Amino acid sequence: MLYFKTMTDQTIMKRRSYRTFSDRPVEEDVERSLLEMTLRAPSGGNMQLWSMIRVRDEEKKRILSQTCDNQPFIAKAPLVYLFLVDSHKWLEYFKASRSAEKFDIPMRMPGIGDFHLGLQDAMAAAQTCVLAAETLGLHSCYIGDIIEQWETVQKTFSLPDYAVPACMLVLGYPKEELKAPLLPRPEVDDFFFTDSYPELTGEMLGRMYSRQEAFQRERGTLPFDNQGSYADSYYKRKYMSDFMKEMDRSARAFLGPWLKGEGENQ
């Protein structure tokens, strides 16, 4: 139990996002181990309904640093992994195997259910990669902005229909260990529901995010002269931001084939 607790403390409880990496390259054997562990992620039916592109090309890294809300550290990261929801490879696999002919069942096109299963697989793989990286001395950062600017991302990586971004990770050895305190998370008893979704009240929500609100208030970073709520902190800056509008537009664009397939399969 002591060993397990120590291992858990190191890989999960102390994990944090890093955006500044050292110039030290990630050794080939270390990356190989990272990828092998990533492949042990849970996967629906052991189908791996996801793919991952290792971005090596410096120009493509530069493009990503611009399309992902102009974040220069992306271009400097030693490892850049683009995780995809991927139904395309299974369509091609079914065709190559002539499965539809063998069963005499016409093949349907992927629908929104296929997308959702692939998204589960892709995110399970990405988080497995994050935790595996920690065990190898690497640190990482999720880049949610990869779902913006779909047309540029599609062209840059020659993505076919039914192969679209789920998330992106940048990884590397840390330039220096961060000394700032870990960002707080909610209390267990305040956050998790049991058996059903409750009717939420302002009091419940206030408790749920009380740690984060207290953290920001202590640092004087809440809006309205530090008198606002944790909800206020994100309403204008994130939820109502221009980049969220672009995420919505871009996601609608790359979900188009799945939504079309859903209709054709009726």
Side-chain angles (χ1 to χ4, degrees), residues 22-243:
S22 75
D23 294 331
R24 175 184 170 185
V26 177
E27 299 84 350
E28 185 176 336
D29 61 329
V30 171
E31 185 177 15
R32 179 76 180 187
S33 294
L34 176 62
L35 296 177
E36 287 175 348
M37 287 190 278
T38 297
L39 276 170
R40 295 307 308 171
S43 174
N46 198 22
M47 293 173 69
Q48 286 75 50
L49 299 167
W50 60 279
S51 293
M52 190 256 275
I53 295 176
R54 294 178 288 174
V55 185
R56 301 282 197 245
D57 185 84
E58 295 300 326
E59 175 61 15
K60 291 184 177 183
K61 285 186 179 182
R62 185 193 65 78
I63 291 172
L64 287 172
S65 73
Q66 292 181 337
T67 60
C68 294
D69 273 350
N70 297 307
Q71 301 184 81
F73 74 91
I74 294 172
K76 300 176 183 178
L79 300 179
V80 177
Y81 291 167
L82 173 55
F83 286 82
L84 305 171
V85 178
D86 190 358
S87 292
H88 173 77
K89 68 182 178 186
W90 273 93
L91 283 179
E92 296 303 305
Y93 192 15
F94 290 141
K95 291 175 185 176
S97 187
R98 299 175 63 187
S99 299
E101 298 174 38
K102 292 174 184 175
F103 287 104
D104 193 25
I105 301 175
M107 185 167 63
R108 66 177 178 83
M109 298 308 291
I112 200 68
D114 298 281
F115 171 81
H116 204 297
L117 283 173
L119 183 62
Q120 292 178 49
D121 268 16
M123 296 310 298
Q127 187 59 16
T128 299
C129 183
V130 165
L131 297 179
E134 294 287 321
T135 70
L136 295 168
L138 302 170
H139 293 314
S140 63
C141 182
Y142 275 102
I143 308 295
D145 305 289
I146 189 58
I147 65 173
E148 297 180 52
Q149 306 295 330
W150 158 241
E151 294 80 5
T152 300
V153 173
Q154 181 183 37
K155 180 179 178 181
T156 301
F157 297 99
S158 303
L159 298 179
D161 286 346
Y162 305 113
V164 303
C167 67
M168 190 168 75
L169 289 177
V170 294
L171 309 97
Y173 291 107
K175 190 170 185 178
E176 59 184 3
E177 294 295 335
L178 298 179
K179 295 181 174 59
L182 287 170
L183 294 178
R185 296 293 193 262
E187 290 273 8
V188 168
D189 292 338
D190 292 332
F191 193 79
F192 295 103
F193 306 142
T194 302
D195 291 332
S196 62
Y197 197 96
E199 182 177 347
L200 298 175
T201 65
E203 181 182 357
M204 290 171 62
L205 291 164
R207 285 200 312 269
M208 190 180 294
Y209 290 102
S210 60
R211 280 185 168 184
Q212 289 97 315
E213 186 171 294
F215 184 84
Q216 287 196 356
R217 198 177 305 282
E218 181 181 337
R219 283 153 183 75
T221 57
L222 288 172
F224 305 115
D225 295 326
N226 208 37
Q227 298 304 305
S229 68
Y230 193 60
D232 296 334
S233 181
Y234 286 100
Y235 182 77
K236 182 179 179 181
R237 182 163 61 92
K238 283 191 177 285
Y239 186 72
M240 297 301 295
S241 65
D242 288 341
F243 73 78

